[in-house]
Amino acid sequence: MAKIIDGKAVSAAVKEEVAAEAAKLKDEHGLKVGLAVVIVGSDPASRVYVNNKKKACEAVGFRSTEYALDENTTQEQLLDLVNVLNNDKAVNGILVQLPLPKHIDEKAVINAISPEKDVDAFHPVNVGRIMIGDYAFLPCTPAGVMRLIESTGVDITGKQCVVIGRSNIVGKPQAMLLLQKNGTVTVCHSRTKNLKEICLTADILVVAIGKAKFVTGDMIKEGAVVIDVGMDRDENGKLCGDVDFESAEKVAGYITPVPGGVGPMTIAMLMKNTLTAAKQQSGIE
């Protein structure tokens, strides 16, 4: 039976580190870290995420400012707000909650955020820096995955790493981070042939495809580290991941549950990115 990787415990440790550093910044430099969160419209899932981010800011001692815009907000109005936040010295990190309403070009909005305040690490400048291994921020979910793998004590060097999913938010940056830690990385996707055979080679398997219980125990190498990034609903409407936990747990060495695995890490790493941004903008090492 696999050991459960407790994302709640690991994320709590990250937040404790961030809170201690934030308090030190305030005491020694009079700097209170600030995150601006912009939400357009009333998507229920987005509202939950934004509320969770505000709670996390409170927990680590950050100033959190929310800008809740009407769903009829124009792209120009949103870009104007981003520009104001880019120039506001009290704002260290800017997060525009995705998805945006269909009439707004997400790419234009992401590109408008100053790379120094892009705590989601979605701006092309930050994406490029991840590619060459010279980065300030990492996308929050892949960074959280790396921290979870680290918590197992498994050394990535020389391991066969398989990432299922090639999104710009998780799959691609995840592959880069594993590569930078000297893993041998294969990226699989909807057109991959012999997926099961490839998965069975993985010492470390990261699954991020958005299909409930897609990866089953017979696709997993015995003793592998299995990280499930998925957040789905099963046939009974119950929250589950992209991995069939019940069958996978019998084969894997380590496994993340859903919920309670990768999810808590994403917000913890967002806090870490915002702290890094504040330190860089203030010239503090």
Side-chain angles (χ1 to χ4, degrees):
M1 290 290 275
K3 289 181 183 169
I4 306 297
I5 306 172
D6 186 347
K8 287 180 185 172
V10 180
S11 72
V14 172
K15 284 183 196 161
E16 273 175 35
E17 290 165 22
V18 171
E21 274 202 73
K24 194 176 167 192
L25 277 184
K26 200 176 174 195
D27 292 344
E28 294 180 6
H29 303 277
L31 174 66
K32 186 161 174 98
V33 181
L35 175 68
V37 181
V38 182
I39 178 170
V40 184
S42 53
D43 179 74
S46 291
R47 173 39 65 196
V48 169
Y49 288 136
V50 167
N51 289 348
N52 287 343
K53 285 162 187 171
K54 282 163 75 176
K55 279 183 206 156
C57 282
E58 210 174 290
V60 299
F62 290 0
R63 183 194 309 105
S64 162
T65 315
E66 180 187 312
Y67 296 84
L69 307 180
D70 184 84
E71 61 190 23
N72 297 318
T73 298
T74 65
Q75 182 167 310
E76 193 179 359
Q77 287 168 324
L78 179 54
L79 292 174
D80 284 347
L81 173 59
V82 168
N83 189 45
V84 167
L85 297 174
N86 280 339
N87 293 301
D88 185 343
K89 285 190 164 57
V91 173
N92 304 113
I94 301 168
L95 189 148
V96 178
Q97 183 65 45
L98 303 178
L100 290 167
K102 287 194 170 78
H103 66 277
I104 296 176
D105 179 0
E106 283 186 2
K107 195 196 282 188
V109 175
I110 289 166
N111 290 356
I113 297 170
S114 163
E116 289 75 31
K117 295 189 177 187
D118 166 41
V119 288
D120 261 333
F122 292 165
H123 192 285
V125 166
N126 288 327
V127 173
R129 295 190 72 167
I130 292 159
M131 179 66 88
I132 61 172
D134 174 27
Y135 47 77
F137 314 122
L138 292 171
C140 302
T141 301
V145 168
M146 296 303 284
R147 189 71 180 245
L148 290 175
I149 295 169
E150 190 185 297
S151 77
T152 68
V154 171
D155 184 4
I156 295 168
T157 299
K159 296 288 191 300
Q160 294 290 336
C161 305
V162 173
V163 178
I164 309 182
R166 54 177 166 178
S167 73
N168 292 333
I169 293 173
V170 181
K172 288 178 190 171
Q174 191 69 67
M176 283 300 111
L177 297 187
L178 290 164
L179 193 59
Q180 283 159 20
K181 289 291 183 184
N182 304 311
T184 301
V185 184
T186 303
V187 179
C188 299
H189 45 78
S190 57
R191 307 286 174 87
T192 299
K193 292 174 181 173
N194 305 319
L195 180 63
K196 181 178 175 179
E197 286 78 358
I198 295 168
C199 288
L200 283 166
T201 68
D203 302 305
I204 296 169
L205 179 64
V206 181
V207 190
I209 48 165
K211 290 185 178 178
K213 300 184 180 181
F214 180 80
V215 172
T216 48
D218 62 345
M219 297 169 73
I220 294 167
K221 181 180 181 179
E222 196 161 334
V225 177
V226 178
I227 309 287
D228 188 351
V229 182
M231 192 68 79
D232 314 296
R233 298 270 171 193
D234 66 14
E235 61 279 5
N236 303 314
K238 193 181 168 200
L239 204 59
C240 68
D242 291 349
V243 176
D244 177 40
F245 185 85
E246 207 175 304
S247 62
E249 187 191 17
K250 295 176 179 134
V251 189
Y254 295 89
I255 191 168
T256 57
V258 177
V262 175
M265 293 304 299
T266 300
I267 289 179
M269 301 319 280
L270 172 67
M271 298 298 108
K272 194 169 171 61
N273 279 353
T274 307
L275 178 76
T276 301
K279 285 160 73 176
Q280 287 197 331
Q281 288 156 32
S282 308
I284 299 163
E285 284 302 317

